Amino acid sequence: MNDFDLVRKNLFRRKLRAILMIVSILVAFMIFGVLAGFYRAFSAGEDRAAADRLITVNKINFTQPLPIAYFNRVRAVDGVRQVTHANWFGGYYQDPKNFLMSLAIEPSTYFDVYRSEFEVPPEQLQAFMRDRGSAVVGESLAQKWGWKIGDRIPVASNIFSQKSGGHTWDLTIAGIVKGKAEHVDTNFLLFQYAYFDETRSFGKDTTGWLVLQTANPADNDRVAKAVDAMFVNSTAETATDTEKAFNKAFAAQFGNIALIVILVVGAAFVTILMIVGNTMALTVRERTREIGVLKTLGFSGGRILRLVLGESVLLALLGGLPGLALAALATVWLRPSVSNLLPGFALTGDIAAEAIVLMLALGLITGIIPALNAMQLKIATALGRG
């Protein structure tokens, strides 16, 4: 019998107790995997933000509009290579539950600013720019709904209405937008701001935010201060910051996801740490005389230490790995229902690696004190306990 057999048999000596501990750890790591997937999806925009892009929004709140006249004034600021603008549409397809990430944009400048992320065939982009009533859709969104070039689709808004009183814009798909890298999200619909502005019933000549591309990321701070200084004491003062900061603020409207993850996972882990640690201490104490016998047979203190630590690490892995697998299945099951809001929701390899490190840490932390006690136990003391 080798050491692994000893560890395994000792762990399952009391089967019910071992199973209950394994289930507790399984639940903790399932929660960790799902919440970490949510957190990664929420923070994905921060990770993908370009260093040379700034976002200008209304100083009161980014949900408040800016005058479209700001667009040309910002273009003239020294250090600005290109400027575009976009307006949140609040769109959905056929049913309010079918949310669409939809923006009204200025086509030529938008795809220039985002040229490093998106690509549209030139002929499709030209067709989009020629037809004011057209739209381009991301590849992921087109695949989801089975849309193709030439299809005419009704896109409704839960925010805006048309001058005619309706809430639906009929758009013709002129092109399919592809991402230039695997991580680029293409779950969106873009249509022309000019058409949107001329047909909406309120908010004319305003836009949601400006996107600035600087000539050099080193100029970001100077350019941001220059832009905001232009509109001080105006009816719509501005706040300009990096794209990363804007994406973080946008995600924050859904709540402090990082804090939620830390609190939920932390509470689960501390609870399990206490339960498993206490159980391991009790288990070692129950086997005090056996440890004395093993030492009498020639087992060294170091080997006893490894056996006890191996038992706690095996326990953590037997609970953690299935929990991680269930978390992966849960993310696959939940992905269709959250793909519109969280297109990057998944249990990725780095989350799995982090979870495995936590499993090992859990095993070592809960086992180290009982293992040290067992290693230091004197033979006479162990055999003398009744």
Side-chain angles (χ1 to χ4, degrees):
M1 180 178 289
N2 56 36
D3 285 357
F4 179 76
D5 289 329
L6 280 174
V7 167
R8 178 175 54 81
K9 288 182 179 295
N10 280 329
L11 178 60
F12 287 100
R13 176 179 299 186
R14 295 181 181 269
K15 292 184 174 58
L16 179 60
R17 184 165 64 188
I19 290 171
L20 289 175
M21 286 194 294
I22 287 171
V23 170
S24 299
I25 297 171
L26 180 149
V27 171
F29 278 97
M30 184 173 69
I31 293 172
F32 171 81
V34 174
L35 290 184
F38 272 112
Y39 174 69
R40 181 181 175 83
F42 270 104
S43 61
E46 300 174 42
D47 299 334
R48 295 196 298 264
D52 61 350
R53 283 202 292 263
L54 302 175
I55 308 291
T56 298
V57 297
N58 193 301
K59 189 175 182 179
I60 297 174
N61 190 285
F62 65 78
T63 61
Q64 299 299 311
L66 294 172
I68 192 63
Y70 285 11
F71 174 65
N72 287 323
R73 294 182 63 183
V74 169
R75 296 180 78 170
V77 173
D78 181 46
V80 174
R81 192 199 74 82
Q82 182 60 280
V83 183
T84 190
H85 61 90
N87 202 102
W88 183 263
F89 184 64
Y92 62 88
Y93 176 60
Q94 296 179 336
D95 188 286
K97 292 184 293 185
N98 300 328
F99 166 79
L100 296 178
M101 169 67 177
S102 45
L103 302 173
I105 65 161
E106 201 291 307
S108 60
T109 56
Y110 190 87
F111 285 103
D112 182 18
V113 169
Y114 288 98
R115 66 190 184 282
S116 63
E117 295 184 22
F118 304 129
E119 59 180 356
V120 187
E123 65 279 6
Q124 295 180 16
L125 182 57
Q126 289 300 317
F128 175 44
M129 295 171 66
R130 285 195 303 269
D131 184 0
R132 289 160 66 90
S134 65
V136 291
V137 297
E139 188 176 29
S140 298
L141 189 64
Q143 291 174 353
K144 177 179 179 179
W145 294 106
W147 293 339
K148 58 186 184 299
I149 293 175
D151 286 352
R152 192 162 180 81
I153 57 173
V155 180
S157 174
N158 53 24
I159 301 174
F160 297 99
S161 60
Q162 292 191 352
K163 292 177 180 178
S164 61
H167 289 266
T168 302
W169 277 254
D170 292 318
L171 303 170
T172 302
I173 297 178
I176 305 295
V177 183
K178 296 183 178 181
K180 289 189 173 181
E182 186 178 350
H183 69 270
V184 175
D185 174 31
T186 55
N187 193 44
F188 57 77
L189 178 145
L190 308 172
F191 67 109
Q192 288 207 35
Y193 171 83
Y195 173 58
F196 166 67
D197 196 47
E198 91 178 8
T199 55
R200 61 175 165 173
S201 61
F202 64 92
K204 187 173 176 60
D205 295 329
T206 63
T207 190
W209 60 87
L210 304 176
V211 184
L212 293 66
Q213 186 175 46
T214 58
N216 190 324
D219 297 331
N220 286 356
D221 190 55
R222 178 182 60 80
V223 170
K225 290 178 180 177
V227 169
D228 292 340
M230 292 174 62
F231 307 110
V232 171
N233 298 323
S234 68
T235 56
E237 295 188 45
T238 62
T240 303
D241 211 334
T242 60
E243 186 178 48
K244 180 175 182 178
F246 174 79
N247 290 341
K248 185 176 182 178
F250 185 82
Q253 67 180 322
F254 297 99
N256 193 333
I257 303 302
L259 180 61
I260 294 172
V261 171
I262 291 170
L263 289 178
V264 173
V265 175
F269 270 80
V270 169
T271 302
I272 288 172
L273 196 69
M274 294 172 64
I275 294 172
V276 176
N278 184 62
T279 306
M280 285 302 301
L282 178 63
T283 300
V284 171
R285 185 169 181 82
E286 288 175 348
R287 298 205 299 265
T288 299
R289 298 192 68 184
E290 294 178 21
I291 293 171
V293 171
L294 290 175
K295 288 191 171 184
T296 303
L297 294 174
F299 280 64
S300 65
R303 190 176 181 186
I304 296 294
L305 175 76
R306 290 193 298 273
L307 287 173
V308 177
L309 277 180
E311 190 173 333
S312 61
V313 169
L314 179 61
L315 177 65
L317 291 175
L318 288 176
L321 292 175
L324 201 58
L326 288 177
L329 292 175
T331 56
V332 171
W333 179 68
L334 290 171
R335 193 179 302 156
S337 59
V338 300
S339 60
N340 287 327
L341 289 172
L342 297 171
F345 176 55
L347 198 157
T348 57
D350 56 339
I351 294 175
E354 185 178 347
I356 291 172
V357 171
L358 285 174
M359 292 173 208
L360 296 174
L362 177 66
L364 292 173
I365 292 171
T366 55
I368 189 63
I369 294 177
L372 287 173
N373 290 337
M375 180 182 72
Q376 295 168 0
L377 192 63
K378 302 298 182 182
I379 295 176
T381 304
L383 294 177
R385 287 186 183 174

